[in-house]
Every structure is written in C-alpha cells, then in structure tokens.
Amino acid sequence: MRTLAKYLHLLGKLASYTLAREMAFRGNFLVKVSVEVIWLGIMLAFYETIFARTKTVASWSKDEFFFFFGCFFALNGLIEMLFLENCNDFAELVRTGDLDFLLLRPIDEQFLITCRKVDWATAPNVLMGFTVMGIALARLHWQFDAVRVVTFFATFACGTAIAYCFMLVLTSFSVWMVRNQSLMEMWWLFSSLARYPKEIFRGSLAAPLGMFFTFFLPILLVANVPSNAMVRTLDPWMVGFTLVATAFLLWASRKFFQHALRSYRSASS
C-alpha cells in the first residue's frame, strides 16, 4: 500500500507539472480542446444521420449505441490523456539515447516511461464521454442497478488496461525498429476496431474476425463489455473472461516491455 501511495503521489506531481506547462500556452490548449469538441460533434451528427434512417444497428438501439459511443469516447480520451503521448515519445528516447537518463532513475521504468506526461487537452474527452452516456441513460429511462454500475466501472477499468497493454507492446518494438510511426498507425487500427459493437462482425468472412479480436487479440472487449453490462445483457461469462484477459495482458505486456529494455543498447555502448 505504501508503494501504491508513493506512485499515486508521484503521478499527481507529474500531472501538476504538465498542467503548469500546458497553461503556459493557453491558446494552444484551447485550440486542442476545441478540436476534440468539434470531433465529438461531427461523430454525434454522423450517428444521428444513420439512426434517422434505421431503428437499430447490429441489434443496438439508438440510445444504446450512443451509450456505447460515449463509453468508447471516454475510454479513448483516458488512454490519450495518460499514455498516448508518452508512448509516442518512446521511439525518440531510444533514437537520441535520452532513455538512458530515465533508466537511471530509482523508480519503475515502465511507470516513468509511460506515465511521465499527462495530456490535459484530451482530459475533457472523458467528461464529454460520460456526459453522452448520462444523456443516453436518461433517454433509456434506465433504472439504477448497483450490480450493473459496479460491473460497468470494473470492466471500464479493464478496457482501459487492455488498450494500454496493446499500446505498450507496440511501443516496445521501438527498441528494435527505432521509428514507431507504422506501429502507432497499427494502434489507430486497433482503436478503430474498438469503436464498433462486436455484433457488426457477421457473415462468413466477418464472423471469424470478430472471434479473433474478441478472444485472441481482445480489443473488442474494450468498450463492448462495459456497455453491454450497463445497458444490455449482463453476461457473467464475458465479464469473467474480460477480467482474466486483463490480468494476463498486463503480465504479458510487462514481460515483453522488460525484454525490450534488456535488448536496448544505450547511447554510451
């Protein structure tokens, strides 16, 4: 518990430092936030147009789907806020040798490399995503259910952890490839898959893809399981599988990251 408190305290200090730096350029910060707001508005208008012509999409009603989209938007915003910029910078640290200075610090390397900066410009995405979810719940006349709420937040945390694990593995390849632009493009592919309900993967060609990205590379669990738990079917088997998959991916991605660091050749070597 003392170690956890230490890292939470350190994360708070890092967050305060990056916020102070962000506020030094308020105009840039406001532009970045405005872009995120405009992007959300475009996506909502797009989905409104779709549901103006149909009542359901892959068995999801309009309000259920908007809850799903809000869940994804909030979760993706959390990932971008905490990890994306840090992981993007990792290749540059390897290329320039600046990674040496981070590895010398008396702190866990994975934490320092992936959590040292907080992108505050994407923090409003989390709030906007939860706002969309709240409006969808109100339109569904959703009745409070403590089990569903606890399950939602537990699986939402799992979805964030799963997305982080995929990002960490892709980032780790920078040790060998140095440039990670193509790897980050693969991350955007994964995040695009997580944006849609897994029920859209139907048919002889799409169904195997849906199974693959649910049970082997479980990126479809990220937003689907918490959304289903909250507004559709609470499936204990899928919730249990999500918890197990999260634990395994956290372990496996950390092992892979540590293997990558052992393969790193410092600037002095």
Side-chain angles (χ1 to χ4, degrees), residues 80-101:
E80 292 184 2
M81 174 186 171
L82 296 177
F83 308 120
L84 183 60
E85 184 179 357
N86 297 312
C87 291
N88 271 330
D89 289 346
F90 183 66
E92 188 67 12
L93 293 174
V94 173
R95 188 184 68 81
T96 60
D98 289 344
L99 181 59
D100 294 5
F101 299 105

PDB file of all heavy atoms in Angstrom, residues 80-101:
ATOM      1  N   GLU A  80      -5.592   8.478 -24.221  1.00  0.00           N
ATOM      2  CA  GLU A  80      -4.821   9.564 -24.824  1.00  0.00           C
ATOM      3  C   GLU A  80      -4.280  10.510 -23.756  1.00  0.00           C
ATOM      4  O   GLU A  80      -3.154  11.009 -23.868  1.00  0.00           O
ATOM      5  CB  GLU A  80      -5.689  10.326 -25.817  1.00  0.00           C
ATOM      6  CG  GLU A  80      -6.048   9.521 -27.061  1.00  0.00           C
ATOM      7  CD  GLU A  80      -6.820  10.334 -28.080  1.00  0.00           C
ATOM      8  OE1 GLU A  80      -7.048  11.534 -27.827  1.00  0.00           O
ATOM      9  OE2 GLU A  80      -7.191   9.777 -29.122  1.00  0.00           O
ATOM     10  N   MET A  81      -5.055  10.744 -22.742  1.00  0.00           N
ATOM     11  CA  MET A  81      -4.648  11.651 -21.670  1.00  0.00           C
ATOM     12  C   MET A  81      -3.437  11.115 -20.910  1.00  0.00           C
ATOM     13  O   MET A  81      -2.487  11.853 -20.624  1.00  0.00           O
ATOM     14  CB  MET A  81      -5.829  11.864 -20.719  1.00  0.00           C
ATOM     15  CG  MET A  81      -5.503  12.668 -19.473  1.00  0.00           C
ATOM     16  SD  MET A  81      -6.937  12.684 -18.353  1.00  0.00           S
ATOM     17  CE  MET A  81      -6.205  13.435 -16.898  1.00  0.00           C
ATOM     18  N   LEU A  82      -3.444   9.833 -20.589  1.00  0.00           N
ATOM     19  CA  LEU A  82      -2.424   9.279 -19.700  1.00  0.00           C
ATOM     20  C   LEU A  82      -1.231   8.662 -20.423  1.00  0.00           C
ATOM     21  O   LEU A  82      -0.096   8.741 -19.919  1.00  0.00           O
ATOM     22  CB  LEU A  82      -3.057   8.225 -18.781  1.00  0.00           C
ATOM     23  CG  LEU A  82      -4.125   8.716 -17.809  1.00  0.00           C
ATOM     24  CD1 LEU A  82      -4.701   7.543 -17.028  1.00  0.00           C
ATOM     25  CD2 LEU A  82      -3.575   9.765 -16.865  1.00  0.00           C
ATOM     26  N   PHE A  83      -1.452   8.046 -21.586  1.00  0.00           N
ATOM     27  CA  PHE A  83      -0.408   7.181 -22.141  1.00  0.00           C
ATOM     28  C   PHE A  83       0.051   7.502 -23.561  1.00  0.00           C
ATOM     29  O   PHE A  83       1.207   7.234 -23.889  1.00  0.00           O
ATOM     30  CB  PHE A  83      -0.895   5.723 -22.115  1.00  0.00           C
ATOM     31  CG  PHE A  83      -1.405   5.264 -20.785  1.00  0.00           C
ATOM     32  CD1 PHE A  83      -2.706   4.815 -20.642  1.00  0.00           C
ATOM     33  CD2 PHE A  83      -0.590   5.283 -19.667  1.00  0.00           C
ATOM     34  CE1 PHE A  83      -3.192   4.390 -19.418  1.00  0.00           C
ATOM     35  CE2 PHE A  83      -1.060   4.861 -18.430  1.00  0.00           C
ATOM     36  CZ  PHE A  83      -2.367   4.414 -18.304  1.00  0.00           C
ATOM     37  N   LEU A  84      -0.832   8.013 -24.418  1.00  0.00           N
ATOM     38  CA  LEU A  84      -0.511   8.073 -25.848  1.00  0.00           C
ATOM     39  C   LEU A  84       0.726   8.916 -26.143  1.00  0.00           C
ATOM     40  O   LEU A  84       1.624   8.478 -26.869  1.00  0.00           O
ATOM     41  CB  LEU A  84      -1.715   8.604 -26.631  1.00  0.00           C
ATOM     42  CG  LEU A  84      -1.529   8.654 -28.164  1.00  0.00           C
ATOM     43  CD1 LEU A  84      -1.250   7.261 -28.708  1.00  0.00           C
ATOM     44  CD2 LEU A  84      -2.758   9.244 -28.827  1.00  0.00           C
ATOM     45  N   GLU A  85       0.793  10.122 -25.603  1.00  0.00           N
ATOM     46  CA  GLU A  85       1.940  10.981 -25.880  1.00  0.00           C
ATOM     47  C   GLU A  85       3.228  10.360 -25.370  1.00  0.00           C
ATOM     48  O   GLU A  85       4.275  10.420 -26.036  1.00  0.00           O
ATOM     49  CB  GLU A  85       1.725  12.355 -25.241  1.00  0.00           C
ATOM     50  CG  GLU A  85       2.836  13.344 -25.559  1.00  0.00           C
ATOM     51  CD  GLU A  85       2.609  14.717 -24.957  1.00  0.00           C
ATOM     52  OE1 GLU A  85       1.543  14.922 -24.334  1.00  0.00           O
ATOM     53  OE2 GLU A  85       3.503  15.585 -25.094  1.00  0.00           O
ATOM     54  N   ASN A  86       3.184   9.741 -24.201  1.00  0.00           N
ATOM     55  CA  ASN A  86       4.378   9.100 -23.646  1.00  0.00           C
ATOM     56  C   ASN A  86       4.866   7.970 -24.540  1.00  0.00           C
ATOM     57  O   ASN A  86       6.070   7.831 -24.786  1.00  0.00           O
ATOM     58  CB  ASN A  86       4.071   8.561 -22.253  1.00  0.00           C
ATOM     59  CG  ASN A  86       3.715   9.663 -21.278  1.00  0.00           C
ATOM     60  OD1 ASN A  86       4.396  10.663 -21.187  1.00  0.00           O
ATOM     61  ND2 ASN A  86       2.623   9.480 -20.556  1.00  0.00           N
ATOM     62  N   CYS A  87       3.928   7.152 -25.022  1.00  0.00           N
ATOM     63  CA  CYS A  87       4.313   6.031 -25.875  1.00  0.00           C
ATOM     64  C   CYS A  87       4.832   6.511 -27.228  1.00  0.00           C
ATOM     65  O   CYS A  87       5.757   5.919 -27.794  1.00  0.00           O
ATOM     66  CB  CYS A  87       3.123   5.093 -26.060  1.00  0.00           C
ATOM     67  SG  CYS A  87       2.669   4.207 -24.546  1.00  0.00           S
ATOM     68  N   ASN A  88       4.260   7.582 -27.739  1.00  0.00           N
ATOM     69  CA  ASN A  88       4.753   8.152 -28.990  1.00  0.00           C
ATOM     70  C   ASN A  88       6.176   8.681 -28.850  1.00  0.00           C
ATOM     71  O   ASN A  88       6.961   8.645 -29.800  1.00  0.00           O
ATOM     72  CB  ASN A  88       3.836   9.284 -29.455  1.00  0.00           C
ATOM     73  CG  ASN A  88       2.699   8.787 -30.327  1.00  0.00           C
ATOM     74  OD1 ASN A  88       2.830   7.805 -31.038  1.00  0.00           O
ATOM     75  ND2 ASN A  88       1.568   9.464 -30.254  1.00  0.00           N
ATOM     76  N   ASP A  89       6.509   9.175 -27.657  1.00  0.00           N
ATOM     77  CA  ASP A  89       7.838   9.747 -27.426  1.00  0.00           C
ATOM     78  C   ASP A  89       8.904   8.687 -27.216  1.00  0.00           C
ATOM     79  O   ASP A  89      10.109   9.005 -27.252  1.00  0.00           O
ATOM     80  CB  ASP A  89       7.808  10.664 -26.187  1.00  0.00           C
ATOM     81  CG  ASP A  89       7.048  11.955 -26.440  1.00  0.00           C
ATOM     82  OD1 ASP A  89       6.779  12.261 -27.616  1.00  0.00           O
ATOM     83  OD2 ASP A  89       6.726  12.641 -25.446  1.00  0.00           O
ATOM     84  N   PHE A  90       8.503   7.450 -26.983  1.00  0.00           N
ATOM     85  CA  PHE A  90       9.465   6.413 -26.612  1.00  0.00           C
ATOM     86  C   PHE A  90      10.496   6.190 -27.719  1.00  0.00           C
ATOM     87  O   PHE A  90      11.697   6.021 -27.442  1.00  0.00           O
ATOM     88  CB  PHE A  90       8.745   5.109 -26.299  1.00  0.00           C
ATOM     89  CG  PHE A  90       9.650   4.009 -25.832  1.00  0.00           C
ATOM     90  CD1 PHE A  90      10.318   4.115 -24.618  1.00  0.00           C
ATOM     91  CD2 PHE A  90       9.844   2.870 -26.590  1.00  0.00           C
ATOM     92  CE1 PHE A  90      11.152   3.105 -24.167  1.00  0.00           C
ATOM     93  CE2 PHE A  90      10.681   1.853 -26.154  1.00  0.00           C
ATOM     94  CZ  PHE A  90      11.336   1.974 -24.941  1.00  0.00           C
ATOM     95  N   ALA A  91      10.065   6.175 -28.981  1.00  0.00           N
ATOM     96  CA  ALA A  91      10.998   5.964 -30.092  1.00  0.00           C
ATOM     97  C   ALA A  91      12.060   7.052 -30.136  1.00  0.00           C
ATOM     98  O   ALA A  91      13.241   6.783 -30.405  1.00  0.00           O
ATOM     99  CB  ALA A  91      10.228   5.903 -31.413  1.00  0.00           C
ATOM    100  N   GLU A  92      11.658   8.286 -29.852  1.00  0.00           N
ATOM    101  CA  GLU A  92      12.622   9.383 -29.843  1.00  0.00           C
ATOM    102  C   GLU A  92      13.617   9.232 -28.689  1.00  0.00           C
ATOM    103  O   GLU A  92      14.805   9.546 -28.832  1.00  0.00           O
ATOM    104  CB  GLU A  92      11.876  10.714 -29.726  1.00  0.00           C
ATOM    105  CG  GLU A  92      12.746  11.940 -29.898  1.00  0.00           C
ATOM    106  CD  GLU A  92      13.303  12.102 -31.308  1.00  0.00           C
ATOM    107  OE1 GLU A  92      12.837  11.392 -32.229  1.00  0.00           O
ATOM    108  OE2 GLU A  92      14.209  12.936 -31.485  1.00  0.00           O
ATOM    109  N   LEU A  93      13.149   8.736 -27.560  1.00  0.00           N
ATOM    110  CA  LEU A  93      14.052   8.482 -26.433  1.00  0.00           C
ATOM    111  C   LEU A  93      15.099   7.439 -26.805  1.00  0.00           C
ATOM    112  O   LEU A  93      16.283   7.565 -26.454  1.00  0.00           O
ATOM    113  CB  LEU A  93      13.265   8.009 -25.215  1.00  0.00           C
ATOM    114  CG  LEU A  93      12.310   9.014 -24.549  1.00  0.00           C
ATOM    115  CD1 LEU A  93      11.503   8.330 -23.451  1.00  0.00           C
ATOM    116  CD2 LEU A  93      13.081  10.204 -23.980  1.00  0.00           C
ATOM    117  N   VAL A  94      14.665   6.400 -27.524  1.00  0.00           N
ATOM    118  CA  VAL A  94      15.595   5.357 -27.957  1.00  0.00           C
ATOM    119  C   VAL A  94      16.577   5.915 -28.972  1.00  0.00           C
ATOM    120  O   VAL A  94      17.787   5.671 -28.911  1.00  0.00           O
ATOM    121  CB  VAL A  94      14.820   4.161 -28.541  1.00  0.00           C
ATOM    122  CG1 VAL A  94      15.778   3.144 -29.153  1.00  0.00           C
ATOM    123  CG2 VAL A  94      13.961   3.503 -27.469  1.00  0.00           C
ATOM    124  N   ARG A  95      16.080   6.670 -29.938  1.00  0.00           N
ATOM    125  CA  ARG A  95      16.916   7.178 -31.030  1.00  0.00           C
ATOM    126  C   ARG A  95      17.989   8.132 -30.524  1.00  0.00           C
ATOM    127  O   ARG A  95      19.136   8.081 -30.959  1.00  0.00           O
ATOM    128  CB  ARG A  95      16.047   7.883 -32.073  1.00  0.00           C
ATOM    129  CG  ARG A  95      16.794   8.290 -33.344  1.00  0.00           C
ATOM    130  CD  ARG A  95      15.900   9.067 -34.284  1.00  0.00           C
ATOM    131  NE  ARG A  95      15.557  10.368 -33.732  1.00  0.00           N
ATOM    132  CZ  ARG A  95      16.366  11.428 -33.783  1.00  0.00           C
ATOM    133  NH1 ARG A  95      17.557  11.339 -34.359  1.00  0.00           N
ATOM    134  NH2 ARG A  95      15.980  12.583 -33.273  1.00  0.00           N
ATOM    135  N   THR A  96      17.615   9.003 -29.601  1.00  0.00           N
ATOM    136  CA  THR A  96      18.559  10.008 -29.110  1.00  0.00           C
ATOM    137  C   THR A  96      19.422   9.528 -27.948  1.00  0.00           C
ATOM    138  O   THR A  96      20.420  10.169 -27.607  1.00  0.00           O
ATOM    139  CB  THR A  96      17.793  11.268 -28.646  1.00  0.00           C
ATOM    140  OG1 THR A  96      16.890  10.909 -27.583  1.00  0.00           O
ATOM    141  CG2 THR A  96      17.012  11.872 -29.808  1.00  0.00           C
ATOM    142  N   GLY A  97      19.039   8.412 -27.352  1.00  0.00           N
ATOM    143  CA  GLY A  97      19.770   7.931 -26.181  1.00  0.00           C
ATOM    144  C   GLY A  97      19.297   8.537 -24.881  1.00  0.00           C
ATOM    145  O   GLY A  97      19.855   8.238 -23.805  1.00  0.00           O
ATOM    146  N   ASP A  98      18.275   9.394 -24.933  1.00  0.00           N
ATOM    147  CA  ASP A  98      17.763  10.008 -23.706  1.00  0.00           C
ATOM    148  C   ASP A  98      17.097   8.988 -22.785  1.00  0.00           C
ATOM    149  O   ASP A  98      16.867   9.283 -21.604  1.00  0.00           O
ATOM    150  CB  ASP A  98      16.751  11.111 -24.044  1.00  0.00           C
ATOM    151  CG  ASP A  98      17.414  12.335 -24.645  1.00  0.00           C
ATOM    152  OD1 ASP A  98      18.650  12.459 -24.513  1.00  0.00           O
ATOM    153  OD2 ASP A  98      16.702  13.169 -25.252  1.00  0.00           O
ATOM    154  N   LEU A  99      16.815   7.820 -23.319  1.00  0.00           N
ATOM    155  CA  LEU A  99      16.238   6.767 -22.484  1.00  0.00           C
ATOM    156  C   LEU A  99      17.187   6.392 -21.347  1.00  0.00           C
ATOM    157  O   LEU A  99      16.748   5.962 -20.275  1.00  0.00           O
ATOM    158  CB  LEU A  99      15.922   5.534 -23.337  1.00  0.00           C
ATOM    159  CG  LEU A  99      15.297   4.336 -22.633  1.00  0.00           C
ATOM    160  CD1 LEU A  99      13.969   4.716 -21.977  1.00  0.00           C
ATOM    161  CD2 LEU A  99      15.082   3.183 -23.616  1.00  0.00           C
ATOM    162  N   ASP A 100      18.499   6.581 -21.570  1.00  0.00           N
ATOM    163  CA  ASP A 100      19.484   6.281 -20.526  1.00  0.00           C
ATOM    164  C   ASP A 100      19.167   7.011 -19.226  1.00  0.00           C
ATOM    165  O   ASP A 100      19.258   6.441 -18.135  1.00  0.00           O
ATOM    166  CB  ASP A 100      20.883   6.688 -20.992  1.00  0.00           C
ATOM    167  CG  ASP A 100      21.376   5.859 -22.165  1.00  0.00           C
ATOM    168  OD1 ASP A 100      20.586   5.039 -22.672  1.00  0.00           O
ATOM    169  OD2 ASP A 100      22.534   6.037 -22.565  1.00  0.00           O
ATOM    170  N   PHE A 101      18.799   8.288 -19.342  1.00  0.00           N
ATOM    171  CA  PHE A 101      18.559   9.109 -18.150  1.00  0.00           C
ATOM    172  C   PHE A 101      17.324   8.635 -17.374  1.00  0.00           C
ATOM    173  O   PHE A 101      17.289   8.744 -16.149  1.00  0.00           O
ATOM    174  CB  PHE A 101      18.389  10.572 -18.557  1.00  0.00           C
ATOM    175  CG  PHE A 101      19.611  11.138 -19.239  1.00  0.00           C
ATOM    176  CD1 PHE A 101      19.612  11.333 -20.607  1.00  0.00           C
ATOM    177  CD2 PHE A 101      20.752  11.448 -18.514  1.00  0.00           C
ATOM    178  CE1 PHE A 101      20.744  11.851 -21.237  1.00  0.00           C
ATOM    179  CE2 PHE A 101      21.879  11.962 -19.143  1.00  0.00           C
ATOM    180  CZ  PHE A 101      21.867  12.162 -20.520  1.00  0.00           C
TER     181      PHE A 101
END
